[in-house]
Amino acid sequence: MLRECFYHVSNSNWAYAYTKEKIHLRFRTKRDDVTEIAAVTGDKYDWDRTYKEYPMLRIASDAYFDYWEATVKPKYKRLTYGFRITAGTETVWMVETGVYNEQPYPPGGYYDFPYIHEIDLFTAPEWAKSAIFYQIFPDRFANGDPENDPEGTEQWGGTPTTDNSFGGDLQGIIDKLDYIVNLGVNAIYLTPVFESPSNHKYDTLDYKKVDPQFGDNAKLKELVEACHDRGIRVMLDAVFNHCSEHFALFQDVVKKGEKSKYADWFHVREFPIEVKDGIPTYDTFGFFQHMPKFNTANPEVKEYLLDVAEYWIKEIKIDGWRLDVANEIDHHFWRDFRKIVKAANPEAYIVGEVWNDSLKWLLGDQFDSVMNYPFSNKVLEFFSSSYMDGYTFANSMGFLLMRYPQQTNEVVFNLLCSHDTPRVLTCVGEDKRRLKLCVVFLLTYIGTPCIFYGDEIGLTGGGDPDCRKCMVWEPEHQDNELYDFYKLLIALRKDYDVLRQGGFRFLKADSGDSRIIYERIDDKMHFTVWMNNTEEETVLSHPMETDDWKDALSQEDVVPENGMMNIKLDPLGYRILYRWL
């Protein structure tokens, strides 16, 4: 066996407390190299009487490695442990001090998890595990009050540009709540609603004032209350990395320069405030001069922004924050942000916009979740054509699952597209069959799914601003069959706990074959999802030991033949089976 590939550390996503009684241990080996691993465990103060072995399950793989996991329940919340690794007739032991051909005498040199402190547990809001989000770009969803339309508002359904407006507002969302409820989603995420000179509102003028073109603070409160009455959570978008260049305190710096008492509120490299060769003399979002970056390490700035975060949770009773450009703000700020927000509402859901590996923000002291763009990238890459095989796709998903602890994977914010990306239907070449495969995967995968408004009725669109088209409300111009499909899959996810909280594993994902099978399983139910990501009709086969399977959508019995389940699938078709355990 290739010992150089062994890997484990006794912290972060490799050894962590999952509950106040259970610890998850993970171990990495070379792909297809090791046949069996056991975690050998005990209490360091009484090893002999507490000794217990836990077989480890291979839960994921990528191109180079296998990943193994065991759930350990130490009697006294302390854990000392090592690993026994077997490949064929060869067995070795790995502990913190190294790899040995004979078992080292415990507990000296073994890995140590000193104690499960409940206060240190990373606990995301329980409701987020069951949430199905619907993202709304307010200016483009529905115009409920033409009286607040900004000057120059264009006719609904026109071509979106970087600076035009169509009159969508909070009243429009209130008017369409029955539509949202009928679809089945139970949470909405609004892009920024605070006063701003732009149509997207990511350059804030007043952090405690709803933009007049959307309504006012009272109207936002009315919306939140109406949502709560219908069992819908509401998450707002916070832009704390930067503000508008017209933000009053930044304008004070523009006018007074380094004599301004707010000069240290921003990252000014040199005075006066100006733009040289296209580069501002102050830090911004990107190099956009109209979005100056806050100095969040400044105590006054931090106090100001944290007050904003607390205000909307306490006064309007929102259920969470999505945090724009979260990775460009210091970790000290986010740690204090979490304390303030969770004190105001322990069940508030905190989602950071981070486009890459986000583990450093997801260790329990900052965010509950991040926008999982790596997920959407891999899903769209696989289902937008038949070129990628199941082996490659499963490897990429296994790699993503191993990035984070289990409790993070259960609430990571999964999406297929957003206001910042091309529409999913456009990404799959406007092939509805491919879109449906993406949606089936999204709604049967581990994590918190989010649907971008209009995807469910067939909206298309390229990158920003084309992806921000007006919602289509005329029934004759909506894809009603697609809407019914979304509604069906949303209902399926809501009906079965296993699709929200069960384990995930690929059962079939082979090299040179774009057909896949994967499972969701818990102690009560077993789901299997069969997908034909090819343009040809096929029969997909896999061994099944029992004959009590049903089709999850039709409720028809599906019986294997001689221990082998054979599922006939149309081109780009799918089928979902389940059984009670």
Side-chain angles (χ1 to χ4, degrees):
M1 64 185 83
L2 197 62
R3 303 183 185 189
E4 294 92 327
C5 292
F6 293 176
Y7 187 76
H8 175 82
V9 289
S10 56
N11 56 37
S12 66
N13 55 325
W14 293 92
Y16 58 91
Y18 180 61
T19 69
K20 62 183 180 180
E21 297 178 335
K22 297 178 182 178
I23 295 171
H24 283 184
L25 300 178
R26 291 175 174 173
F27 194 85
R28 189 192 76 186
T29 63
K30 181 180 180 296
R31 179 78 186 244
D32 299 326
D33 185 42
V34 168
T35 53
E36 182 180 307
I37 302 180
V40 292
T41 74
D43 189 298
K44 60 186 173 184
Y45 299 115
D46 193 351
W47 177 272
D48 290 338
R49 288 197 298 176
T50 59
Y51 178 79
K52 189 172 183 179
E53 294 189 3
Y54 292 85
M56 302 190 77
L57 178 67
R58 183 168 58 182
I59 61 168
S61 301
D62 62 27
Y64 303 107
F65 304 112
D66 287 327
Y67 299 93
W68 306 72
E69 184 176 271
T71 300
V72 178
K73 189 176 181 180
K75 185 174 182 179
Y76 301 106
K77 297 188 177 182
R78 296 183 296 263
L79 187 68
T80 298
Y81 63 96
F83 301 96
R84 186 179 67 243
I85 306 110
T86 301
T89 59
E90 183 182 6
T91 297
V92 298
W93 282 259
M94 181 168 164
V95 296
E96 191 171 67
T97 55
V99 180
Y100 302 90
N101 292 324
E102 301 291 337
Q103 181 176 7
Y105 189 79
Y110 279 55
Y111 293 103
D112 186 43
F113 197 105
Y115 195 81
I116 302 176
H117 289 282
E118 189 170 355
I119 195 173
D120 289 334
L121 279 175
F122 173 25
T123 54
E126 191 67 23
W127 65 264
K129 297 178 183 179
S130 300
I132 302 171
F133 272 87
Y134 189 72
Q135 183 191 355
I136 295 174
F137 193 84
D139 181 62
R140 310 294 161 80
F141 190 63
N143 188 344
D145 183 6
E147 294 297 318
N148 60 27
D149 288 358
E151 184 178 352
T153 294
E154 299 186 14
Q155 184 175 356
W156 193 261
T159 301
T161 68
T162 57
D163 56 6
N164 61 355
S165 295
F166 294 94
D169 51 30
L170 298 179
Q171 184 61 54
I173 300 172
I174 293 172
D175 294 344
K176 300 299 183 182
L177 284 180
D178 287 344
Y179 170 88
I180 292 173
V181 169
N182 187 61
L183 181 62
V185 297
N186 53 18
I188 60 174
Y189 150 43
L190 303 179
T191 56
V193 297
F194 308 128
E195 187 175 23
S196 159
S198 67
N199 60 15
H200 54 73
K201 309 303 177 191
Y202 281 98
D203 48 348
T204 309
L205 279 175
D206 189 335
Y207 283 85
K208 287 190 175 180
K209 179 182 178 183
V210 168
D211 194 290
Q213 79 175 69
F214 292 157
D216 55 23
N217 292 18
K219 184 59 66 174
L220 179 59
K221 188 169 186 177
E222 180 185 343
L223 169 61
V224 172
E225 289 176 348
C227 285
H228 287 172
D229 288 344
R230 292 166 170 81
I232 297 173
R233 308 272 184 164
V234 181
M235 181 170 72
L236 296 187
D237 208 326
V239 189
F240 293 156
N241 178 69
H242 55 270
C243 60
S244 167
E245 64 179 330
H246 301 295
F247 183 66
L249 305 190
F250 183 72
Q251 281 301 306
D252 191 82
V253 180
V254 172
K255 295 170 183 176
K256 299 177 182 178
E258 54 193 318
K259 294 182 179 180
S260 170
K261 65 178 181 179
Y262 303 111
D264 192 49
W265 275 53
F266 306 92
H267 296 274
V268 183
R269 296 190 303 278
E270 62 177 283
F271 293 96
I273 295 290
E274 59 181 340
V275 178
K276 294 182 177 180
D277 299 323
I279 305 295
T281 60
Y282 51 94
D283 290 348
T284 60
F285 169 62
F287 292 106
F288 299 103
Q289 69 182 73
H290 62 286
M291 296 183 183
K293 180 178 175 64
F294 280 121
N295 176 13
T296 50
N298 180 310
E300 293 179 350
V301 176
K302 179 182 288 189
E303 182 180 3
Y304 172 83
L305 295 176
L306 294 184
D307 178 62
V308 170
E310 182 182 53
Y311 172 81
W312 293 102
I313 288 181
K314 284 188 171 182
E315 296 298 320
I316 309 297
K317 310 300 183 185
I318 66 169
D319 301 287
W321 285 109
R322 182 265 189 186
L323 307 170
D324 189 59
V325 201
N327 58 333
E328 296 186 20
I329 296 177
D330 65 272
H331 292 279
H332 287 81
F333 177 87
W334 289 133
R335 292 186 181 102
D336 288 340
F337 174 89
R338 183 180 183 87
K339 292 175 183 176
I340 289 289
V341 167
K342 294 294 185 177
N345 178 7
E347 287 297 299
Y349 182 45
I350 302 173
V351 181
E353 183 199 16
V354 185
W355 291 59
N356 305 100
D357 188 335
S358 308
L359 182 62
K360 66 183 77 172
W361 290 275
L362 295 170
L363 296 176
D365 60 344
Q366 295 173 72
F367 308 156
D368 296 316
S369 178
V370 290
M371 299 188 76
N372 199 3
Y373 283 109
F375 164 87
S376 57
N377 292 340
K378 294 301 181 183
V379 170
L380 292 174
E381 186 179 4
F382 180 61
F383 289 115
S384 63
S385 73
S386 301
Y387 295 127
M388 181 185 291
D389 59 24
Y391 178 83
T392 303
F393 178 59
N395 286 345
S396 62
M397 300 311 297
F399 178 77
L400 294 183
L401 281 173
M402 290 299 100
R403 278 183 169 180
Y404 306 135
Q406 175 72 8
Q407 52 264 64
T408 299
N409 285 330
E410 289 171 349
V411 297
V412 69
F413 201 75
N414 294 331
L415 64 164
L416 297 174
C417 62
S418 74
H419 64 289
D420 284 327
T421 70
R423 291 268 178 177
V424 58
L425 187 53
T426 297
C427 289
V428 297
E430 300 191 18
D431 188 327
K432 275 176 53 176
R433 299 171 304 169
R434 293 193 176 278
L435 170 63
K436 288 180 177 180
L437 291 181
C438 292
V439 175
V440 169
F441 194 84
L442 173 72
L443 291 171
T444 59
Y445 187 67
I446 186 171
T448 301
C450 181
I451 298 162
F452 192 30
Y453 78 95
D455 283 349
E456 74 281 4
I457 51 94
L459 277 192
T460 58
D464 173 19
D466 194 43
C467 57
R468 304 174 182 184
K469 291 178 179 177
C470 293
M471 179 67 174
V472 174
W473 290 111
E474 300 84 3
E476 64 272 19
H477 297 305
Q478 294 181 336
D479 188 327
N480 296 304
E481 187 273 335
L482 185 59
Y483 175 89
D484 289 340
F485 165 78
Y486 268 86
K487 184 176 178 179
L488 181 67
L489 266 293
I490 289 169
L492 183 71
R493 184 178 182 90
K494 292 171 68 176
D495 285 345
Y496 297 102
D497 288 343
V498 65
L499 295 179
R500 305 190 299 272
Q501 301 183 37
F504 172 91
R505 186 173 60 159
F506 282 97
L507 299 178
K508 174 181 173 57
D510 299 330
S511 177
D513 187 347
S514 294
R515 304 170 304 163
I516 59 172
I517 308 171
Y518 58 91
E519 68 178 359
R520 300 297 308 275
I521 188 169
D522 61 16
D523 57 355
K524 297 179 180 178
M525 181 164 281
H526 190 186
F527 264 73
T528 57
V529 182
W530 307 62
M531 289 185 162
N532 176 23
N533 190 36
T534 77
E535 300 280 355
E536 306 294 331
E537 184 181 278
T538 191
V539 174
L540 194 51
S541 301
H542 190 74
M544 292 293 186
E545 296 179 357
T546 65
D547 59 1
D548 52 352
W549 291 88
K550 288 183 176 293
D551 186 294
L553 300 180
S554 69
Q555 298 301 313
E556 296 176 349
D557 292 333
V558 185
V559 181
E561 302 173 6
N562 300 318
M564 183 68 70
M565 187 71 79
N566 301 303
I567 300 297
K568 185 177 180 180
L569 295 173
D570 292 334
L572 300 174
Y574 67 92
R575 199 159 185 194
I576 305 171
L577 310 182
Y578 77 93
R579 60 181 287 264
W580 293 96
L581 299 178

